Amino acid sequence: MTKKIYPEALNLPVFEIIKQAAEELGVETFVIGGYVRDFLLKKQKAKDIDIVTLGSGIKLAEKVKKLLPGKTQSAYYKNFGTALLKNKDLEIEFVGARKESYHPDSRKPAVENGSMEDDQKRRDFTINALALSLNEDNWGQLIDPFNGLDDLKNKIIRTPLDPDITFSDDPLRMIRAIRFASQLGFIIHPDTFEAIKRNKKRIKILSKERIMDEFNKIMMHNKPSTGLKLLYETGILDEFFPELGKLQGVEENEGKTHKDNFYHTLEVVDNISKHTDNLWLRWAALLHDIGKPDTKKYHDKNGWSFHGHEFLGAKMVPKIFKRLKLPLNQHKDYVAKLVRLSSRPLSLIEEEVTDSAIRRLLFEAGDDIDDLMLLCEADITTKNKQKEKKYKDNLKKVRKKLIEVEERDKIRNFQPPVSGKEIMEYFNLKPSKPVGMIKEAIKEAILEGKIPNDKQEALDYMKKVGQEIIESNQ
Ligand code: ATP
Ligand code: MG
């Protein structure tokens, strides 16, 4: 085999420094993984660099740190035999070449020192096992025992070893296969694909955090449906996210069908991804119909309905977030709110769009109104051109009206114009139920448009209705 040499991949000064450090320690050293893969794909060079050495990764990192100019942050993980250096925008990870053997019940391998090939064998895919030499005598030479370069050219994701072994050792690799396939636009080799189907149950031993790390990378792709479909087709999705797969399917009754809510959801996620990089808005799109399977009913007259699915869906959000160990505190309310309101803007149009309906929508959505409108637009997936135009025109009307009402009534982030304290003082009340009821009555009057959102008008209204409310509670 002819030697392939890529010195141009190594023109960052840091590689010279690593080489010098490795020479001083007398250990062979290589750059491996994403950096090499992305160079060969002519993609922008990755900023994270993975280094393997036939010695101690920690010792090499310590020496490199001394030689690097500027400020370097370091972390040493003695238990894992790895080290991480951060210098400017570079992140360099060091590891000693190792051989891993796994026990079937555990994800934690027994680790011993190994050869370069041992280390490449424990990598997830042939394209991620490509390495370049950082040694004087073969600087830049490609070390490719599993024909990763061919797989790179042919756009194939394939494990270096028998895929049943690679996947059983660390089942996360199955989701990574799908993540890389979608990120790079590659095909998963049929043998590797079949092995994913066979080994899907092993997903159960993984922590949710590791799964979600990869899943969210799939969600952040410019077309997340590519990866989501693969997760579904391999059966992996059902192992950690059965609610999504349950959306799949079309039922028929007396010739009437409903749309396939799984494939519809994928389209909505793709649509919204063209307009936002906000992961949690993409999640709202993913979950917007999640309540449908459990609210589905067939009526003789009107066919299929999913009555109240938005409310059920919104209630499911915190449970799903908790189970998947997603950041519960920061994002569940935002996602649940968008799911709950997801059909509202379009349904407003069924009748005349009244100012009060718009005020209520603004009141409930608050600052998330623009995200909600994006979600509604993404939700239009009908292939009927006439219907599509009608829905889009309707949303335009709602948007116009939202701007008008917002300018006039300032309902977004509504603050009650009369406080509980003021109500108690005026009527000489102690904290009690009528105080809340009077406050609520003022809010309702503003949202209904009986009075404007104005302090004096609200006080006048309070004087008008307050006494009656108090008496009806005695
Ligand atoms: P990117 O960072 O662009 O997503 P990458 O290939 O650098 O891609 P990382 O997750 O940073 O991916 O991992 C670096 C390298 O470590 C990989 O290229 C691969 O060789 C190896 N690797 C990472 N995770 C695993 C795993 N679960 N099993 C086997 N090898 C892995
Ligand atoms: Mg990386």
Side-chain angles (χ1 to χ4, degrees), residues 179-197:
R179 192 257 287 186
F180 282 114
S182 68
Q183 254 178 2
L184 302 173
F186 280 28
I187 300 290
I188 300 173
H189 187 279
D191 295 344
T192 300
F193 193 85
E194 287 306 312
I196 296 179
K197 287 189 184 167

Side-chain angles (χ1 to χ4, degrees), residues 234-385:
T234 50
I236 294 283
L237 193 63
D238 266 350
E239 297 301 319
F240 68 93
F241 208 159
E243 298 91 340
L244 266 188
K246 239 178 112 181
L247 289 170
Q248 200 276 326
V250 177
E251 231 182 302
E252 197 208 289
N253 204 346
E254 297 172 338
K256 286 184 184 152
T257 55
H258 60 79
K259 68 177 170 231
D260 183 309
N261 288 307
F262 179 69
Y263 290 102
H264 162 70
T265 292
L266 297 192
E267 263 189 272
V268 179
V269 175
D270 283 353
N271 284 346
I272 206 149
S273 300
K274 289 178 201 143
H275 301 283
T276 184
D277 284 335
N278 174 354
L279 174 64
W280 305 106
L281 182 50
R282 291 178 177 209
W283 264 90
L286 187 71
L287 297 180
H288 82 287
D289 273 349
I290 205 74
K292 278 195 168 173
D294 291 333
T295 51
K296 181 159 94 173
K297 282 207 177 68
Y298 184 81
H299 306 267
D300 289 341
K301 245 188 174 165
N302 302 325
W304 295 101
S305 79
F306 302 90
H307 215 70
H309 77 84
E310 303 90 340
F311 288 93
L312 179 66
K315 266 171 84 178
M316 291 166 74
V317 169
K319 290 181 196 152
I320 291 173
F321 267 57
K322 190 159 180 228
R323 197 190 70 229
L324 296 178
K325 302 249 165 65
L326 290 166
L328 197 62
N329 295 334
Q330 294 102 298
H331 304 294
K332 74 159 190 321
D333 293 339
Y334 167 83
V335 173
K337 174 159 87 176
L338 291 179
V339 170
R340 183 166 51 78
L341 296 175
S342 58
S343 318
R344 183 82 77 77
L346 259 184
S347 70
L348 286 183
I349 288 288
E350 311 262 296
E351 305 112 48
E352 189 53 22
V353 198
T354 61
D355 284 8
S356 65
I358 292 281
R359 274 192 293 270
R360 282 182 188 283
L361 181 61
L362 266 171
F363 173 68
E364 287 188 51
D367 269 341
D368 300 319
I369 186 72
D370 298 323
D371 290 354
L372 177 64
M373 293 306 287
L374 267 186
L375 176 58
C376 286
E377 216 154 298
D379 198 6
I380 302 174
T381 62
T382 173
K383 302 293 169 280
N384 176 328
K385 286 283 162 209

Side-chain angles (χ1 to χ4, degrees), residues 345-351 353 358 373 376-377 380 382 384-402:
L346 259 184
S347 70
L348 286 183
I349 288 288
E350 311 262 296
E351 305 112 48
V353 198
I358 292 281
M373 293 306 287
C376 286
E377 216 154 298
I380 302 174
T382 173
N384 176 328
K385 286 283 162 209
Q386 253 175 321
K387 274 194 186 164
E388 185 189 343
K389 184 172 172 350
K390 189 179 108 192
Y391 295 150
K392 286 200 167 154
D393 286 349
N394 285 350
L395 277 187
K396 258 190 219 150
K397 271 191 227 158
V398 174
R399 273 183 196 275
K400 201 165 150 252
K401 204 93 200 216
L402 275 167

Side-chain angles (χ1 to χ4, degrees), residues 55-88:
S56 156
I58 291 178
K59 278 195 188 135
L60 179 61
E62 282 168 345
K63 195 151 257 322
V64 171
K65 185 179 177 181
K66 283 197 192 120
L67 296 173
L68 273 174
K71 204 169 167 294
T72 304
Q73 281 175 297
S74 57
Y76 301 99
Y77 307 97
K78 295 238 155 69
N79 290 346
F80 298 99
T82 63
L84 184 67
L85 297 185
K86 288 188 191 177
N87 182 283
K88 298 203 185 88

